[in-house]
Amino acid sequence: MTSEPGLFRSNVIVPLLPGLGLSGFIALLAGALGFAQSHVFGTTGLDALILAMLLGMVARAICELPRAMQPGIRFASKTVLEAAIVLLGASIGAAEIVTLGGWTIVAILALVVASLGLSYALSRCLGLDRQLSALIACGNAICGSSAILACAPVVGAAERQMASAIAFTSALGALLVLLLPMAAIQLDLDDRRYGIIAGMSVYAVPQVLAATAPISVLSAQLGTLVKLTRVLMLAPVLLIIAVLSGGGGRVRPPIRQVVPWFVAGFLLLITLRLLGLFPVFLLEPSWQLSRLLTLIAMAALGLSVDIGELLAGSGRVLAAGLGSLILLVTLAFALSAFLT
């Protein structure tokens, strides 16, 4: 007779295997192509992380993925990438935190406030209702779908509004992860400035790692620190929105939406590193494992992007999301120029 624990593990793990396997295969192919670029053709070209996402997008565009692959793809694009974020925390020491600087914090606060206002105003000008405009503004200014989920009960948004905002935010965020490193190379941005720009503009914390890891370790460290500062603004922003919308702050999102598990894990490893409690011999393996997990997750992110579905959606929501993202990136570039 099969034991309940064994049955439970089977029910959880087995459905993930097809999608994880496909993501892993694409990651392996991207890694091989990246190796061939640098060691066979003698050129840097596109980093393996970017190649993994591109290959995933191509696979999604030319093939109809079986439904059985979806759980594993979702797991790889979310949980695997979140685990990579936790491991990244071990690579951040006092020097990286000092490098961030106090003026960067001020710039991040200004970015969030300006982005919230401009994104909301743009959405309203395009004819979107108050709830959907607030969701798009929060997702754009702070942390993508997590902020949308946390903001929804505060503004009384309907499920269809949540789904619409999350769909466009997720797709646009994934495309930004792909395009931003390419822009960094073309514009010849230094590692510090690029990390700040990515942290200020990319939607989700895990996506910041995906966007910065192809450039350098410093970019990934600074980008994640900047992004976490944006995330910490979620709670006060929700409180202000609740007051302005007449909620009086009575509606409180679950704590896991304000402080996700991987953010807590990331901060824990930073603390252990600062206290000298993290083994030095594990620093390099932690970074390499973080990059490997990110490579798999990038393939899954590519498999998650349905360009056709995005273009077939609501034109006004797409315009609001795209316009808000352009404003956010423009602000990030402008503010980063004063910090580097």
Side-chain angles (χ1 to χ4, degrees):
M1 182 176 179
T2 305
S3 64
E4 283 302 316
L7 179 61
F8 174 76
R9 286 194 296 269
S10 176
N11 285 341
V12 170
I13 295 175
V14 171
L16 302 179
L17 294 180
L20 277 174
L22 178 60
S23 300
F25 173 76
I26 292 176
L28 181 64
L29 180 58
L33 290 174
F35 180 86
Q37 283 183 107
S38 59
H39 292 81
V40 178
F41 300 106
T43 177
T44 53
L46 294 177
D47 187 86
L49 293 171
I50 300 176
L51 285 171
M53 188 170 185
L54 282 172
L55 290 173
M57 292 174 65
V58 170
R60 173 68 183 264
I62 64 177
C63 303
E64 184 175 350
L65 299 178
R67 186 183 299 271
M69 288 188 174
Q70 296 306 319
I73 292 173
R74 286 194 297 269
F75 181 83
S77 64
K78 184 176 185 298
T79 306
V80 170
L81 196 49
E82 291 170 350
I85 282 287
V86 174
L87 291 171
L88 179 65
S91 71
I92 297 178
E96 288 75 25
I97 295 176
V98 170
T99 300
L100 196 61
W103 282 112
T104 304
I105 308 298
V106 175
I108 295 168
L109 298 178
L111 174 98
V112 170
V113 172
S115 179
L116 275 170
L118 292 172
S119 179
Y120 183 83
L122 175 62
S123 299
R124 295 292 282 158
C125 287
L126 288 170
L128 301 182
D129 58 50
R130 180 179 59 84
Q131 289 86 355
L132 185 53
S133 297
L135 295 183
I136 292 174
C138 269
N140 183 70
I142 303 175
C143 53
S145 58
S146 296
I148 291 171
L149 289 170
C151 180
V154 177
V155 299
E159 288 187 4
R160 58 177 177 79
Q161 293 172 315
M162 292 171 55
S164 178
I166 288 174
F168 284 94
T169 298
S170 299
L172 291 173
L175 289 177
L176 181 61
V177 170
L178 174 64
L179 296 176
L180 205 55
M182 297 180 182
I185 295 172
Q186 293 298 318
L187 297 175
D188 195 26
L189 298 175
D190 64 75
D191 293 353
R192 184 176 187 274
R193 185 181 181 189
Y194 175 71
I196 292 173
I197 291 172
M200 284 182 167
S201 58
V202 176
Y203 287 150
V205 180
Q207 288 178 334
V208 172
L209 176 58
T212 53
I215 302 301
S216 74
V217 177
L218 178 62
S219 293
Q221 293 168 337
L222 293 180
T224 304
L225 288 172
V226 170
K227 179 59 193 176
L228 286 176
T229 305
R230 282 172 66 198
V231 172
L232 291 176
M233 293 195 68
L234 179 57
V237 164
L238 291 179
L239 178 61
I240 293 171
I241 291 176
V243 172
L244 293 178
S245 62
R250 294 189 297 271
V251 180
R252 296 183 177 88
I255 187 65
R256 66 179 181 275
Q257 290 181 6
V258 179
V259 185
W261 74 272
F262 62 91
V263 172
F266 175 84
L267 295 175
L268 174 61
L269 287 191
I270 288 182
T271 303
L272 292 176
R273 173 76 186 279
L274 292 176
L275 295 175
L277 299 176
F278 192 87
V280 176
F281 70 90
L282 289 179
L283 291 178
E284 181 63 22
S286 296
W287 165 247
Q288 294 299 335
L289 180 57
S290 176
R291 183 175 171 85
L292 174 62
L293 294 178
T294 305
L295 185 63
I296 296 172
M298 286 288 279
L301 281 171
L303 290 168
S304 303
V305 177
D306 189 334
I307 302 298
E309 182 178 327
L310 176 64
L311 296 177
S314 170
R316 288 185 299 172
V317 179
L318 175 59
L322 184 58
S324 297
L325 181 59
I326 292 173
L327 287 171
L328 180 65
V329 174
T330 302
L331 287 170
F333 268 86
L335 288 170
S336 69
F338 293 99
L339 300 172
T340 53

